[in-house]
Amino acid sequence: MPSSVTARASSFIQVLRRVFTLAAPYFRSEEKWRARAMLAGIIALNLFYVYVAVLGNEWYGRFYDALQTKDVVAFWREVRVFGWIAFFNIAVQVLKFYVTQLLQLRWRTWMTRSYLSRWMADRTFYHLELARYAGKDGTAPDNPDQRIQEDMQMFTSATMSLSMGLLNAVVTLLSFIGLLWTLSGNFSFTAGGTTYQIVGAMVWLALGYSIVGTVVTHFIGRPLIGLNFRQQRFEADFRHHLVRVREYSEAIALDHGEKVESGQLNLRFGDVLRNYLLLIKQQKNLVTFTSFFGQAAVIFPFIVGAQQYFGGSIQLGHLMQIVSAFGKVQESLSWFVDNYDSVAVWRATTDRLTSFDDAMKAHATRDNELQRDPATVLHTDDLGVALPNGTPLLAGAALSVAPGDSVLLQGPSGSGKSTLFRSFAGIWPFSRGHVQVPGDAMFMPQRPYVPDGKLRDALTYPNAASNYSDDQLRQALADALLPELANRLDDSDAWSQKLSGGEQQRLAIARVLLRKPAWLFADEITSALDAEAESVLYKRLAATVQAAGGAMVSIAHRAAVGDFHNQRWALVPRTGGTAGDGGARYRLNTAAQPAAA
């Protein structure tokens, strides 16, 4: 038993440390004085609220005594006093609500911007997804979008609500426990012919009542923490798959994949329902006990105080003061009982945010085995590339591309061509060695990202559209064989859904023609185009790069693309291991030769 208590105490301390880790940065940030002032104001309002409650308890005694003695003058005087107490009570609650909500909003805003900045910095968002899907890093967080959008809102609101509620409970307890001790007097009872007296009986009864309730509540509600954690994850997974169906609606429709996707959605929704049913059952047990506990607390002080009242030793007003004070003390001591469900949700949210925070910190302090430096040529030394699961694809690669070169990279599907490009770009975390890449380089994926919104913003992404004139934008579209879009620059649409695959690739090529980079790394950028369009656009890309004094490196399966390159690299499967290959599956043949047959 002692070891169990110690373990729970250690777990509680760990939770507090996690909360402090998440909360402290805001109160130390550039907004710290405003945040601290608002927090101090909320604390002061809570203290004043308790003071008003103490005044209300004294009013109970005077008001009910006036009723019992039928003192009309005292009755109307106390009605006027109640008006003032009610006014201050309402004013404090409204002001406390407003300041609390304002602090929550500012806190959430700061946290969201801070986490967004960290998530987007140094391609953390990309690397965390790689680690998660590879199954290599057990700390990789699921659904970071939910953690930033939903969990932060829940964390800030729940932390404020629960912390101020706990403060209010503590201050209320300290304010009323002495009063209850004085009011309750001595409670006497006879057992076995002997009369016993308990000094401050109502205090001890409230304490014992609350301890029993807290222990039972914790025993019943403890599974809620894990269930809430899983519920949030299952809900996010279900929502994520709904978004993917919307994103890939055309491909799913063409493949007649509705039945499969319905099955996948129902599978994920089934997880949501099963866990939620378990959550409901556990909450039902908790609500059953807490409802009984709360109802019993209403009548309990009347039963205990009835002996003194009917014995004539106290008046009705005194009894009502005892009942009111007992209710305040018992309510304060039972704060944990009344808020256990909220604490369970808050604990699960805190755990999710903490794991997300830890993952981003781990990424920021990771050892980078790939050294990437700017240069005027593309050059690698002892470059090794592996899959996220650790399988080596390439080892000891020494490559070199000079201005004026044009290289076509080919190899079997899955041999790591795109992964090699990612290593050149410096975004692949499973690379090692040394890479030198020219600064004025542009990397083009096979499937370009086309943001929703105005067409001019999609065309100039990620640069600002204001950097270019309308004539430049229209010329780029015309040169990319998209003249029909030239007059739609200010049209807003879901372009990733509106444009075909070939049109999206041509839009990405228009970006290149607009930016005119010296170095271009193109990954199957014409795979959705016909041969004639491919030929025209590759000639224009080659001319753009040559005019800027750079080079072009392409990935393509079509032999015709070789006409626009003077070198060919080939990823060739290894047939036998050699010293220094590190168990790599492929070797890179860089023998200079015409790319075209």
Side-chain angles (χ1 to χ4, degrees):
M1 187 69 175
S3 61
S4 176
V5 172
T6 303
R8 289 175 185 173
S10 176
S11 176
F12 177 72
I13 293 172
Q14 189 177 15
V15 171
L16 292 182
R17 285 176 179 169
R18 290 176 181 174
V19 173
F20 182 80
T21 299
L22 295 173
Y26 174 62
F27 293 94
R28 294 172 179 168
S29 70
E30 66 281 359
E31 295 188 21
K32 61 184 177 183
W33 296 118
R34 184 195 298 265
R36 293 174 184 178
M38 293 177 73
L39 181 61
I42 294 170
I43 292 173
L45 288 169
N46 272 278
L47 296 177
F48 188 70
Y49 180 75
V50 174
Y51 173 69
V52 172
V54 173
L55 295 179
N57 182 269
E58 294 174 356
W59 175 85
Y60 266 115
R62 299 192 303 269
F63 181 74
Y64 280 99
D65 281 346
L67 286 176
Q68 185 175 19
T69 58
K70 299 182 179 180
D71 188 337
V72 176
V73 175
F75 172 81
W76 288 111
R77 183 181 66 243
E78 293 307 321
V79 168
R80 290 191 295 272
V81 171
F82 175 79
W84 283 106
I85 292 174
F87 169 77
F88 283 114
N89 196 311
I90 294 169
V92 168
Q93 288 196 62
V94 170
L95 188 57
K96 183 177 69 169
F97 168 80
Y98 177 74
V99 179
T100 300
Q101 292 298 313
L102 196 59
L103 178 57
Q104 287 177 17
L105 179 62
R106 298 188 68 90
W107 187 7
R108 179 193 176 186
T109 300
W110 186 90
M111 278 191 75
T112 301
R113 288 175 176 166
S114 173
Y115 274 66
L116 277 175
S117 176
R118 292 168 58 196
W119 187 52
M120 298 300 293
D122 196 24
R123 302 179 180 88
T124 302
F125 64 97
Y126 174 66
H127 293 160
L128 291 183
E129 285 299 301
L130 285 176
R132 180 183 171 225
Y133 287 115
K136 185 179 180 181
D137 188 352
T139 64
D142 61 275
N143 303 296
D145 53 312
Q146 184 208 26
R147 303 192 185 206
I148 293 174
Q149 183 270 324
E150 183 178 315
D151 287 353
M152 284 186 188
Q153 187 275 329
M154 293 176 64
F155 173 77
T156 52
S157 62
T159 301
M160 287 299 303
S161 175
L162 292 173
S163 60
M164 291 301 104
L166 181 59
L167 172 67
N168 190 68
V170 171
V171 175
T172 300
L173 177 63
L174 295 176
S175 301
F176 280 90
I177 195 168
L179 181 62
L180 182 61
W181 182 280
T182 302
L183 290 172
S184 63
N186 300 331
F187 177 75
S188 60
F189 65 94
T190 302
T194 305
T195 301
Y196 300 91
Q197 280 194 341
I198 302 176
V199 180
M202 296 297 283
V203 174
W204 297 111
L205 289 172
L207 182 62
Y209 187 82
S210 300
I211 289 175
V212 172
T214 300
V215 171
V216 176
T217 298
H218 181 62
F219 177 78
I220 295 174
R222 184 169 50 183
L224 286 172
I225 297 173
L227 288 171
N228 275 293
F229 186 97
R230 289 192 292 275
Q231 187 65 27
Q232 292 176 23
R233 178 164 61 86
F234 291 146
E235 295 278 7
D237 286 342
F238 177 55
R239 184 170 60 244
H240 177 70
H241 201 80
L242 285 170
V243 172
R244 283 183 62 82
V245 170
R246 188 185 68 185
E247 217 174 287
Y248 293 92
S249 57
E250 183 179 11
I252 293 170
L254 288 172
D255 286 334
H256 301 287
E258 297 88 349
K259 186 176 292 186
V260 175
E261 294 307 316
S262 293
Q264 289 294 320
L265 288 170
N266 283 321
L267 185 65
R268 284 164 173 76
F269 189 58
D271 291 335
V272 171
L273 289 179
R274 279 189 294 274
N275 194 79
Y276 195 64
L277 284 173
L278 293 174
L279 198 58
I280 290 175
K281 290 178 182 178
Q282 205 62 40
Q283 287 174 327
K284 179 198 68 175
N285 296 335
L286 184 62
V287 169
T288 300
F289 175 76
T290 55
S291 298
F292 171 79
F293 183 81
Q295 291 300 314
V298 173
I299 197 66
F300 191 74
F302 284 103
I303 295 174
V304 177
Q307 181 186 32
Q308 292 174 291
Y309 175 71
F310 289 118
S313 58
I314 60 173
Q315 291 186 310
L316 178 62
H318 192 102
L319 175 62
M320 296 308 297
Q321 273 190 288
I322 291 175
V323 171
S324 175
F326 179 87
K328 293 293 184 182
V329 171
Q330 183 272 328
E331 183 181 341
S332 300
L333 290 171
S334 302
W335 178 88
F336 189 69
V337 175
D338 298 333
N339 292 276
Y340 196 93
D341 195 24
S342 298
V343 170
V345 174
W346 173 72
R347 167 73 182 274
T349 301
T350 300
D351 288 345
R352 287 174 59 80
L353 277 179
T354 302
S355 63
F356 184 39
D357 186 64
D358 290 343
M360 290 197 293
K361 286 178 179 176
H363 175 266
T365 58
R366 76 193 188 285
D367 293 328
N368 196 341
E369 297 186 66
L370 181 70
Q371 182 182 348
R372 188 174 182 272
D373 300 313
T376 57
V377 299
L378 172 66
H379 183 75
T380 71
D381 286 321
D382 194 28
L383 176 62
V385 180
L387 294 175
N389 61 11
T391 302
L393 291 176
L394 194 65
L399 310 171
S400 184
V401 179
D405 289 341
S406 55
V407 179
L408 176 62
L409 174 61
Q410 293 183 312
S413 296
S415 58
K417 301 183 295 297
S418 299
T419 303
L420 184 60
F421 268 28
R422 296 180 189 117
S423 298
F424 291 160
I427 69 171
W428 191 249
F430 311 105
S431 305
R432 59 176 179 78
H434 185 206
V435 175
Q436 292 178 307
V437 180
D440 187 13
M442 188 170 177
F443 290 83
M444 298 180 66
Q446 181 178 357
R447 186 187 176 198
Y449 173 61
V450 182
D452 297 343
K454 289 186 177 181
L455 179 61
R456 64 171 68 244
D457 295 324
L459 173 58
T460 61
Y461 180 86
N463 297 331
S466 58
N467 294 345
Y468 307 94
S469 68
D470 284 2
D471 288 340
Q472 288 176 304
L473 300 180
R474 293 191 184 100
Q475 186 61 52
L477 289 171
D479 290 343
L481 307 181
L482 290 171
E484 67 278 6
L485 296 179
N487 295 321
R488 301 186 62 188
L489 292 175
D490 291 311
D491 288 2
S492 292
D493 214 326
W495 298 108
S496 60
Q497 302 292 322
K498 183 72 69 175
L499 301 178
S500 67
E503 288 173 326
Q504 291 182 46
Q505 287 188 339
R506 278 180 277 166
L507 184 68
I509 291 173
R511 291 175 186 165
V512 179
L513 300 176
L514 193 64
R515 289 172 56 180
K516 297 179 171 57
W519 286 73
L520 180 64
F521 295 83
D523 184 0
E524 292 278 4
I525 60 169
T526 57
S527 59
L529 302 181
D530 59 87
E532 183 179 353
E534 180 180 67
S535 177
V536 171
L537 292 176
Y538 249 108
K539 286 178 182 177
R540 290 176 180 172
L541 290 173
T544 300
V545 170
Q546 289 172 8
M552 179 167 63
V553 183
S554 300
I555 295 174
H557 288 285
R558 293 178 182 174
V561 177
D563 294 338
F564 310 102
H565 302 81
N566 57 27
Q567 295 183 46
R568 178 176 177 270
W569 294 350
L571 281 167
V572 182
R574 289 185 181 274
T575 56
T578 59
D581 67 5
R585 290 183 174 181
Y586 297 89
R587 61 182 177 83
L588 189 59
N589 181 3
T590 59
Q593 56 180 301

